[in-house]
Amino acid sequence: MSRGRSHLGSQTRESLRRWALSRGASPAAASALAHRLVARFAGREADVPVSRRWLEAAREAFAEDLPEATPVEDPDGTIRYAVRYPDGALVEAVAIPHPGRTTVCLSSQVGCARGCVFCETGRLGLSRNLETHEIAGQFAAVSRHLRAIGRPTPTNVVFMGMGEPLDNLDAVLCAADVLSDDAGFAVAPRRITVSTVGVVPKIREFLARGRYRLAVSLHAANDEDRRALLPAARLWDLASLRAAIAQSREPVLLQWTMIEGRNDSPRHLEELLAFCRGLNVRVNLIPLNPGPEEELRAPAMEVVRAFQKALRDAGVRALLRMPHGREVGGACGQLAGALRDAPDRRQRLPVLGRARV
Ligand code: SF4
């Protein structure tokens, strides 16, 4: 993107409409142009008449390039993309097929400042925030690739890739607005989930401003255990986190990455049940993917299943989620980390269409 030029992927329909009005378009022409441009970024041809003059003006005003996305497919059908921006920054996006839907997991930052102990990205530290068009561009590049290989159009978005989304809240919310425009990618707002490690002041802001679903990485329900896993928990304790979650009008997803000996015992279960009591929450149990700390591993599956059953028996909605894409660097940050550490490895990655993992 040339310096000083806006990007189409950062524009909502309303901002495009205002742009056209400010250049003298009539209200009808401005609305039609905005509709057409939002559709264009999503790779659609909108059947809305717009004069050539306005289309050319928009082409001059807005860049439309997408980041380079290198796909690697896992045997379970998950496709992990190493997404590279023109400045060399590298993040990940993941397309996860489920029966009847496809979820795209997006990154919000290059690296992350939050330093969770089991996270590969946390080891990298934060390089920079992604801009709105860079986040929306991940989704656009993934959608384009899925279409090219005959896979279904993505239906759901989760902000659970690299970065703490609430540390880049404005860009994340704007990207969600771009992706949910029904003239463009048309992802239903209730199918967009933004995840946080528990940045309490930003949760309140997110709930006040957003119309999207919230997920919170809980992982432990007593302060001492949680601080040992998530440095962010030293800043905001569980009482303040719980109070912020209670403000949500929609159900909140609690993520519980299961780690042997750290959060899988009957005591941990009791603490989690106490945390959930009176909240409108659902729990996702995710056996740990191998990460940077070798001594941290997932419990045996019987333990995970028993934990899930005990939650359900106590009336808490609990789902078991297996980590996706294990064989292509399934833990957050691993694929991008591998490429960053050895850039020439990109040539050796099994690229979809030429070879499959
Ligand atoms: S788990 Fe998320 S918030 Fe924690 S370090 Fe990794 S990317 Fe950052």
Side-chain angles (χ1 to χ4, degrees), residues 26-218:
S26 69
S31 295
L33 178 67
H35 186 118
R36 183 84 169 246
L37 293 176
V38 164
R40 189 159 87 198
F41 185 66
R44 292 184 183 175
E45 266 312 314
D47 189 18
V48 182
V50 176
S51 79
R52 179 173 297 188
R53 177 180 142 239
W54 282 113
L55 288 173
E56 278 168 10
R59 265 193 210 286
E60 273 176 32
F62 300 110
E64 297 182 35
D65 56 303
L66 296 184
E68 177 193 323
T70 306
V72 185
E73 187 176 8
D74 190 79
D76 68 8
T78 299
I79 305 178
R80 188 169 288 266
Y81 299 82
V83 179
R84 192 179 292 270
Y85 297 101
D87 67 352
L90 197 56
V91 300
E92 295 176 17
V94 188
I96 306 158
H98 303 281
R101 67 192 158 94
T102 298
T103 299
V104 179
C105 174
L106 299 176
S107 293
S108 55
Q109 298 182 303
V110 183
C112 183
R114 294 295 171 183
C116 306
V117 298
F118 48 77
C119 175
E120 199 76 39
T121 303
R123 239 175 20 136
L124 305 170
L126 177 66
S127 296
R128 68 174 176 87
N129 280 338
L130 290 176
E131 295 181 32
T132 297
H133 72 87
E134 293 176 317
I135 299 170
Q138 291 169 52
F139 187 90
V142 169
S143 294
R144 205 168 279 189
H145 177 254
L146 293 176
R147 195 182 318 135
I149 62 170
R151 292 274 190 96
T153 305
T155 50
N156 294 50
V157 171
V158 292
F159 285 88
M160 295 181 184
M162 297 174 79
E164 161 54 58
L166 298 195
D167 285 344
N168 189 16
L169 183 58
D170 288 344
V172 164
L173 286 179
C174 190
D177 289 347
V178 169
L179 300 181
S180 58
D181 192 309
D182 54 16
F185 290 109
V187 180
R190 68 189 162 78
R191 292 176 182 265
I192 297 180
T193 301
V194 177
S195 176
T196 177
V197 76
V199 182
V200 168
K202 292 287 181 176
I203 290 178
R204 294 208 189 89
E205 187 182 340
F206 172 82
L207 293 173
R209 287 174 60 187
R211 54 195 181 125
Y212 306 108
R213 297 288 169 98
L214 178 69
V216 173
S217 298
L218 193 62

Side-chain angles (χ1 to χ4, degrees), residues 217-231:
S217 298
L218 193 62
H219 308 318
N222 79 64
D223 281 313
E224 193 182 334
D225 287 349
R226 197 160 182 272
R227 285 181 196 127
L229 293 171
L230 312 174

Side-chain angles (χ1 to χ4, degrees), residues 245-292:
I245 290 171
Q247 313 260 296
S248 177
R249 285 188 292 269
E250 301 294 338
V252 173
L253 181 64
L254 300 180
Q255 306 274 46
W256 191 274
T257 295
M258 293 209 67
I259 308 171
E260 186 181 58
R262 301 293 281 266
N263 63 4
D264 61 346
S265 73
R267 169 178 71 83
H268 296 115
L269 176 70
E270 284 308 314
E271 289 165 351
L272 175 56
L273 286 170
F275 187 88
C276 293
R277 210 159 285 138
L279 290 178
N280 184 9
V281 290
R282 199 184 82 204
V283 176
N284 267 2
L285 301 173
I286 311 142
L288 178 74
N289 237 353

